[in-house]
Amino acid sequence: IWYSSETHYQVVFRNDDLQCRITYRLDGTVEKTERYFTEKDLPPYVLVKVKNRFDGYRVHGVTEITTEAGVVYHLMLEGDKKWLQVQADETGHSSITRRFNRQEIALIARE
């Protein structure tokens, strides 16, 4: 499916069962790509580093964003009491970008 705006074009499609999005500038150059997947498609090195750092959390979902600057992974990690939004790079270096209580996630899911 193609979308357009005054500043960009986007195409959304499935590739090997993964939801994908490519954003193009008006001149046709790629600005960024996004893929949405689960932990099974996360590079093993990144997965091991994240799981070691966030022991007791499960990977709920991953958004991979690729730009000229490189690849960044945005992960939602599910714990027994809290959820974490984590950003990781290709080397597995990661940082928490947001924390949620389980009740907050339930409210967001209903919206």
Short mmCIF file of all heavy atoms in Angstrom, two decimals, residues 11-56:
data_model
loop_
_atom_site.label_atom_id
_atom_site.label_comp_id
_atom_site.label_asym_id
_atom_site.label_seq_id
_atom_site.Cartn_x
_atom_site.Cartn_y
_atom_site.Cartn_z
N VAL A 11 5.66 3.22 1.55
CA VAL A 11 5.07 1.98 1.09
C VAL A 11 5.08 1.03 2.28
O VAL A 11 6.06 0.93 3.01
CB VAL A 11 5.80 1.39 -0.13
CG1 VAL A 11 7.25 1.07 0.17
CG2 VAL A 11 5.07 0.15 -0.66
N VAL A 12 3.96 0.35 2.50
CA VAL A 12 3.81 -0.62 3.58
C VAL A 12 3.51 -1.97 2.93
O VAL A 12 2.65 -2.07 2.05
CB VAL A 12 2.67 -0.22 4.54
CG1 VAL A 12 2.48 -1.25 5.64
CG2 VAL A 12 2.92 1.17 5.13
N PHE A 13 4.26 -2.99 3.34
CA PHE A 13 4.11 -4.31 2.72
C PHE A 13 4.58 -5.39 3.68
O PHE A 13 5.14 -5.10 4.73
CB PHE A 13 4.91 -4.37 1.40
CG PHE A 13 6.38 -4.13 1.57
CD1 PHE A 13 7.27 -5.19 1.69
CD2 PHE A 13 6.89 -2.84 1.63
CE1 PHE A 13 8.63 -4.97 1.85
CE2 PHE A 13 8.25 -2.61 1.78
CZ PHE A 13 9.12 -3.67 1.89
N ARG A 14 4.35 -6.63 3.31
CA ARG A 14 4.83 -7.78 4.06
C ARG A 14 5.93 -8.45 3.27
O ARG A 14 5.82 -8.61 2.06
CB ARG A 14 3.71 -8.76 4.34
CG ARG A 14 2.61 -8.15 5.22
CD ARG A 14 1.66 -9.18 5.76
NE ARG A 14 2.22 -9.98 6.82
CZ ARG A 14 2.46 -9.58 8.08
NH1 ARG A 14 2.25 -8.35 8.40
NH2 ARG A 14 2.93 -10.41 8.98
N ASN A 15 7.00 -8.83 3.96
CA ASN A 15 8.12 -9.54 3.36
C ASN A 15 8.50 -10.68 4.29
O ASN A 15 8.91 -10.44 5.42
CB ASN A 15 9.30 -8.58 3.16
CG ASN A 15 10.46 -9.22 2.44
OD1 ASN A 15 10.30 -10.21 1.73
ND2 ASN A 15 11.64 -8.65 2.63
N ASP A 16 8.35 -11.92 3.80
CA ASP A 16 8.61 -13.08 4.65
C ASP A 16 7.88 -12.99 5.98
O ASP A 16 8.45 -13.18 7.04
CB ASP A 16 10.12 -13.24 4.90
CG ASP A 16 10.88 -13.57 3.64
OD1 ASP A 16 10.30 -14.21 2.74
OD2 ASP A 16 12.06 -13.19 3.55
N ASP A 17 6.61 -12.65 5.93
CA ASP A 17 5.74 -12.54 7.11
C ASP A 17 6.10 -11.40 8.05
O ASP A 17 5.62 -11.34 9.17
CB ASP A 17 5.68 -13.86 7.89
CG ASP A 17 4.99 -14.95 7.09
OD1 ASP A 17 4.07 -14.61 6.30
OD2 ASP A 17 5.35 -16.12 7.24
N LEU A 18 6.98 -10.50 7.64
CA LEU A 18 7.31 -9.34 8.46
C LEU A 18 6.65 -8.10 7.87
O LEU A 18 6.71 -7.86 6.66
CB LEU A 18 8.82 -9.09 8.51
CG LEU A 18 9.70 -10.19 9.10
CD1 LEU A 18 11.15 -9.75 9.11
CD2 LEU A 18 9.25 -10.57 10.49
N GLN A 19 6.02 -7.32 8.74
CA GLN A 19 5.45 -6.04 8.32
C GLN A 19 6.59 -5.07 8.09
O GLN A 19 7.48 -4.94 8.93
CB GLN A 19 4.52 -5.50 9.42
CG GLN A 19 3.89 -4.17 9.11
CD GLN A 19 2.71 -4.29 8.18
OE1 GLN A 19 2.09 -5.33 8.07
NE2 GLN A 19 2.40 -3.20 7.51
N CYS A 20 6.61 -4.39 6.94
CA CYS A 20 7.70 -3.48 6.58
C CYS A 20 7.13 -2.14 6.12
O CYS A 20 6.01 -2.07 5.61
CB CYS A 20 8.53 -4.06 5.44
SG CYS A 20 9.25 -5.67 5.79
N ARG A 21 7.94 -1.10 6.27
CA ARG A 21 7.58 0.23 5.81
C ARG A 21 8.84 0.90 5.29
O ARG A 21 9.88 0.86 5.95
CB ARG A 21 7.00 1.04 6.97
CG ARG A 21 6.62 2.46 6.62
CD ARG A 21 6.16 3.23 7.88
NE ARG A 21 5.17 2.51 8.63
CZ ARG A 21 3.85 2.72 8.57
NH1 ARG A 21 3.37 3.66 7.79
NH2 ARG A 21 3.02 2.01 9.30
N ILE A 22 8.77 1.49 4.11
CA ILE A 22 9.88 2.26 3.57
C ILE A 22 9.39 3.69 3.36
O ILE A 22 8.32 3.90 2.76
CB ILE A 22 10.40 1.69 2.24
CG1 ILE A 22 10.85 0.24 2.42
CG2 ILE A 22 11.55 2.55 1.71
CD1 ILE A 22 11.27 -0.43 1.13
N THR A 23 10.16 4.65 3.85
CA THR A 23 9.84 6.06 3.66
C THR A 23 10.83 6.64 2.66
O THR A 23 12.04 6.50 2.82
CB THR A 23 9.94 6.82 5.00
OG1 THR A 23 9.04 6.22 5.94
CG2 THR A 23 9.57 8.29 4.83
N TYR A 24 10.28 7.27 1.62
CA TYR A 24 11.08 7.90 0.57
C TYR A 24 10.91 9.41 0.63
O TYR A 24 9.81 9.90 0.91
CB TYR A 24 10.61 7.45 -0.81
CG TYR A 24 10.76 5.99 -1.10
CD1 TYR A 24 9.75 5.09 -0.82
CD2 TYR A 24 11.94 5.51 -1.69
CE1 TYR A 24 9.89 3.74 -1.11
CE2 TYR A 24 12.08 4.16 -1.98
CZ TYR A 24 11.04 3.28 -1.68
OH TYR A 24 11.19 1.94 -1.96
N ARG A 25 11.98 10.13 0.32
CA ARG A 25 11.88 11.57 0.10
C ARG A 25 11.21 11.77 -1.26
O ARG A 25 11.13 10.86 -2.08
CB ARG A 25 13.26 12.20 0.12
CG ARG A 25 13.93 12.10 1.48
CD ARG A 25 15.30 12.80 1.46
NE ARG A 25 15.96 12.57 2.73
CZ ARG A 25 16.94 11.68 2.93
NH1 ARG A 25 17.38 10.94 1.93
NH2 ARG A 25 17.46 11.53 4.13
N LEU A 26 10.76 12.99 -1.52
CA LEU A 26 10.08 13.25 -2.79
C LEU A 26 10.97 13.03 -4.00
O LEU A 26 10.47 12.73 -5.09
CB LEU A 26 9.52 14.68 -2.80
CG LEU A 26 8.37 14.94 -1.82
CD1 LEU A 26 7.91 16.38 -1.91
CD2 LEU A 26 7.21 13.98 -2.05
N ASP A 27 12.30 13.13 -3.81
CA ASP A 27 13.20 12.89 -4.94
C ASP A 27 13.46 11.40 -5.19
O ASP A 27 14.22 11.04 -6.08
CB ASP A 27 14.52 13.65 -4.76
CG ASP A 27 15.35 13.12 -3.60
OD1 ASP A 27 14.98 12.10 -2.97
OD2 ASP A 27 16.41 13.72 -3.32
N GLY A 28 12.82 10.54 -4.39
CA GLY A 28 12.94 9.10 -4.59
C GLY A 28 14.00 8.41 -3.77
O GLY A 28 14.12 7.19 -3.82
N THR A 29 14.79 9.15 -3.00
CA THR A 29 15.81 8.51 -2.17
C THR A 29 15.16 7.97 -0.90
O THR A 29 14.22 8.54 -0.36
CB THR A 29 16.95 9.49 -1.80
OG1 THR A 29 16.39 10.60 -1.10
CG2 THR A 29 17.70 9.96 -3.01
N VAL A 30 15.70 6.86 -0.44
CA VAL A 30 15.17 6.22 0.78
C VAL A 30 15.62 7.03 1.99
O VAL A 30 16.80 7.34 2.15
CB VAL A 30 15.67 4.77 0.89
CG1 VAL A 30 15.25 4.16 2.22
CG2 VAL A 30 15.17 3.94 -0.27
N GLU A 31 14.67 7.35 2.85
CA GLU A 31 14.98 8.05 4.09
C GLU A 31 15.17 7.06 5.24
O GLU A 31 16.10 7.17 6.01
CB GLU A 31 13.86 9.02 4.44
CG GLU A 31 14.13 9.85 5.67
CD GLU A 31 13.11 10.92 5.87
OE1 GLU A 31 13.09 11.87 5.07
OE2 GLU A 31 12.30 10.78 6.81
N LYS A 32 14.25 6.10 5.34
CA LYS A 32 14.38 5.07 6.38
C LYS A 32 13.52 3.87 6.03
O LYS A 32 12.59 3.95 5.24
CB LYS A 32 13.99 5.60 7.75
CG LYS A 32 12.51 5.87 7.94
CD LYS A 32 12.22 6.34 9.36
CE LYS A 32 10.77 6.71 9.52
NZ LYS A 32 10.46 7.12 10.88
N THR A 33 13.89 2.75 6.64
CA THR A 33 13.07 1.54 6.54
C THR A 33 12.72 1.11 7.96
O THR A 33 13.48 1.36 8.90
CB THR A 33 13.81 0.40 5.82
OG1 THR A 33 14.95 0.00 6.58
CG2 THR A 33 14.23 0.81 4.42
N GLU A 34 11.58 0.49 8.08
CA GLU A 34 11.13 -0.04 9.37
C GLU A 34 10.62 -1.45 9.15
O GLU A 34 9.96 -1.74 8.15
CB GLU A 34 9.99 0.80 9.95
CG GLU A 34 10.37 2.23 10.21
CD GLU A 34 9.18 3.08 10.64
OE1 GLU A 34 8.42 2.63 11.53
OE2 GLU A 34 9.00 4.16 10.07
N ARG A 35 10.97 -2.32 10.11
CA ARG A 35 10.44 -3.69 10.11
C ARG A 35 9.93 -3.96 11.52
O ARG A 35 10.53 -3.53 12.50
CB ARG A 35 11.50 -4.72 9.74
CG ARG A 35 12.03 -4.54 8.35
CD ARG A 35 12.95 -5.66 7.87
NE ARG A 35 13.87 -6.15 8.89
CZ ARG A 35 14.30 -7.40 8.96
NH1 ARG A 35 13.89 -8.30 8.10
NH2 ARG A 35 15.15 -7.75 9.89
N TYR A 36 8.83 -4.71 11.61
CA TYR A 36 8.21 -5.02 12.89
C TYR A 36 8.21 -6.53 13.05
O TYR A 36 7.73 -7.26 12.19
CB TYR A 36 6.77 -4.48 12.92
CG TYR A 36 6.70 -3.02 12.56
CD1 TYR A 36 6.45 -2.62 11.25
CD2 TYR A 36 6.91 -2.04 13.51
CE1 TYR A 36 6.40 -1.28 10.90
CE2 TYR A 36 6.86 -0.69 13.18
CZ TYR A 36 6.60 -0.33 11.87
OH TYR A 36 6.56 1.01 11.52
N PHE A 37 8.76 -7.01 14.18
CA PHE A 37 8.88 -8.45 14.36
C PHE A 37 9.00 -8.81 15.83
O PHE A 37 8.91 -7.95 16.71
CB PHE A 37 10.04 -9.02 13.54
CG PHE A 37 11.36 -8.30 13.70
CD1 PHE A 37 12.22 -8.59 14.75
CD2 PHE A 37 11.75 -7.34 12.78
CE1 PHE A 37 13.44 -7.95 14.87
CE2 PHE A 37 12.97 -6.70 12.89
CZ PHE A 37 13.81 -7.00 13.95
N THR A 38 9.20 -10.10 16.08
CA THR A 38 9.36 -10.62 17.44
C THR A 38 10.82 -10.99 17.66
O THR A 38 11.65 -10.87 16.76
CB THR A 38 8.46 -11.85 17.66
OG1 THR A 38 8.84 -12.86 16.74
CG2 THR A 38 6.99 -11.50 17.49
N GLU A 39 11.11 -11.49 18.84
CA GLU A 39 12.51 -11.77 19.18
C GLU A 39 13.16 -12.81 18.27
O GLU A 39 14.37 -12.78 18.09
CB GLU A 39 12.65 -12.18 20.65
CG GLU A 39 12.29 -13.58 20.98
CD GLU A 39 12.62 -13.91 22.43
OE1 GLU A 39 12.23 -13.18 23.34
OE2 GLU A 39 13.27 -14.96 22.63
N LYS A 40 12.39 -13.69 17.65
CA LYS A 40 13.00 -14.72 16.81
C LYS A 40 13.71 -14.14 15.60
O LYS A 40 14.60 -14.76 15.04
CB LYS A 40 11.97 -15.77 16.38
CG LYS A 40 10.97 -15.32 15.34
CD LYS A 40 10.02 -16.46 14.95
CE LYS A 40 9.01 -16.05 13.94
NZ LYS A 40 9.56 -15.58 12.68
N ASP A 41 13.35 -12.91 15.19
CA ASP A 41 13.98 -12.27 14.04
C ASP A 41 15.04 -11.23 14.43
O ASP A 41 15.66 -10.63 13.56
CB ASP A 41 12.92 -11.63 13.14
CG ASP A 41 12.03 -12.67 12.51
OD1 ASP A 41 12.57 -13.57 11.84
OD2 ASP A 41 10.80 -12.61 12.69
N LEU A 42 15.24 -11.03 15.72
CA LEU A 42 16.27 -10.12 16.20
C LEU A 42 17.63 -10.78 16.03
O LEU A 42 17.77 -11.98 16.28
CB LEU A 42 16.02 -9.81 17.68
CG LEU A 42 16.74 -8.63 18.31
CD1 LEU A 42 16.38 -7.32 17.63
CD2 LEU A 42 16.39 -8.54 19.79
N PRO A 43 18.65 -10.05 15.57
CA PRO A 43 19.97 -10.67 15.44
C PRO A 43 20.40 -11.32 16.76
O PRO A 43 20.23 -10.71 17.83
CB PRO A 43 20.89 -9.51 15.07
CG PRO A 43 19.99 -8.53 14.40
CD PRO A 43 18.67 -8.66 15.13
N PRO A 44 20.92 -12.53 16.72
CA PRO A 44 21.25 -13.26 17.95
C PRO A 44 22.17 -12.48 18.90
O PRO A 44 21.97 -12.53 20.11
CB PRO A 44 21.93 -14.53 17.45
CG PRO A 44 21.42 -14.72 16.07
CD PRO A 44 21.18 -13.34 15.53
N TYR A 45 23.14 -11.78 18.37
CA TYR A 45 24.07 -11.03 19.23
C TYR A 45 23.33 -9.97 20.04
O TYR A 45 23.53 -9.83 21.25
CB TYR A 45 25.17 -10.39 18.38
CG TYR A 45 26.25 -9.75 19.22
CD1 TYR A 45 27.26 -10.53 19.79
CD2 TYR A 45 26.25 -8.38 19.45
CE1 TYR A 45 28.24 -9.95 20.57
CE2 TYR A 45 27.23 -7.80 20.23
CZ TYR A 45 28.24 -8.58 20.78
OH TYR A 45 29.21 -8.00 21.55
N VAL A 46 22.44 -9.23 19.37
CA VAL A 46 21.66 -8.19 20.05
C VAL A 46 20.73 -8.83 21.08
O VAL A 46 20.61 -8.36 22.22
CB VAL A 46 20.86 -7.35 19.03
CG1 VAL A 46 19.96 -6.35 19.74
CG2 VAL A 46 21.81 -6.64 18.06
N LEU A 47 20.08 -9.93 20.71
CA LEU A 47 19.16 -10.61 21.61
C LEU A 47 19.86 -11.07 22.89
O LEU A 47 19.36 -10.85 24.00
CB LEU A 47 18.51 -11.81 20.91
CG LEU A 47 17.53 -12.63 21.74
CD1 LEU A 47 16.36 -11.78 22.22
CD2 LEU A 47 17.04 -13.83 20.94
N VAL A 48 21.02 -11.68 22.75
CA VAL A 48 21.76 -12.16 23.93
C VAL A 48 22.15 -11.00 24.83
O VAL A 48 22.00 -11.07 26.05
CB VAL A 48 23.00 -12.97 23.49
CG1 VAL A 48 23.94 -13.23 24.65
CG2 VAL A 48 22.57 -14.28 22.86
N LYS A 49 22.64 -9.92 24.25
CA LYS A 49 23.04 -8.76 25.05
C LYS A 49 21.84 -8.17 25.80
O LYS A 49 21.94 -7.85 26.98
CB LYS A 49 23.69 -7.70 24.16
CG LYS A 49 24.96 -8.14 23.48
CD LYS A 49 26.15 -8.04 24.39
CE LYS A 49 26.69 -6.64 24.31
NZ LYS A 49 27.94 -6.43 24.95
N VAL A 50 20.71 -8.04 25.13
CA VAL A 50 19.52 -7.48 25.76
C VAL A 50 19.00 -8.42 26.85
O VAL A 50 18.68 -7.98 27.96
CB VAL A 50 18.43 -7.18 24.71
CG1 VAL A 50 17.09 -6.89 25.36
CG2 VAL A 50 18.85 -6.01 23.82
N LYS A 51 18.93 -9.71 26.55
CA LYS A 51 18.43 -10.66 27.55
C LYS A 51 19.33 -10.72 28.78
O LYS A 51 18.84 -10.87 29.90
CB LYS A 51 18.24 -12.04 26.93
CG LYS A 51 17.02 -12.10 26.05
CD LYS A 51 16.55 -13.52 25.90
CE LYS A 51 15.19 -13.53 25.28
NZ LYS A 51 14.19 -14.17 26.08
N ASN A 52 20.65 -10.62 28.58
CA ASN A 52 21.56 -10.61 29.73
C ASN A 52 21.37 -9.36 30.58
O ASN A 52 21.41 -9.43 31.81
CB ASN A 52 23.02 -10.71 29.27
CG ASN A 52 23.39 -12.10 28.84
OD1 ASN A 52 22.73 -13.08 29.19
ND2 ASN A 52 24.44 -12.21 28.05
N ARG A 53 21.18 -8.24 29.94
CA ARG A 53 21.04 -6.99 30.69
C ARG A 53 19.69 -6.90 31.38
O ARG A 53 19.57 -6.36 32.47
CB ARG A 53 21.22 -5.80 29.76
CG ARG A 53 21.04 -4.49 30.49
CD ARG A 53 21.59 -3.31 29.80
NE ARG A 53 21.38 -2.15 30.66
CZ ARG A 53 21.17 -0.95 30.23
NH1 ARG A 53 21.18 -0.70 28.94
NH2 ARG A 53 20.96 0.03 31.07
N PHE A 54 18.64 -7.39 30.75
CA PHE A 54 17.28 -7.27 31.28
C PHE A 54 16.74 -8.65 31.64
O PHE A 54 15.69 -9.08 31.16
CB PHE A 54 16.38 -6.56 30.27
CG PHE A 54 16.85 -5.18 29.93
CD1 PHE A 54 17.54 -4.94 28.75
CD2 PHE A 54 16.64 -4.13 30.80
CE1 PHE A 54 17.99 -3.66 28.44
CE2 PHE A 54 17.09 -2.85 30.51
CZ PHE A 54 17.77 -2.62 29.32
N ASP A 55 17.47 -9.34 32.50
CA ASP A 55 17.08 -10.67 32.96
C ASP A 55 15.70 -10.60 33.61
O ASP A 55 15.40 -9.69 34.38
CB ASP A 55 18.11 -11.19 33.96
CG ASP A 55 17.88 -12.64 34.34
OD1 ASP A 55 17.44 -13.41 33.46
OD2 ASP A 55 18.13 -12.98 35.51
N GLY A 56 14.84 -11.54 33.29
CA GLY A 56 13.50 -11.57 33.86
C GLY A 56 12.47 -10.87 32.98
O GLY A 56 11.29 -10.87 33.30
#
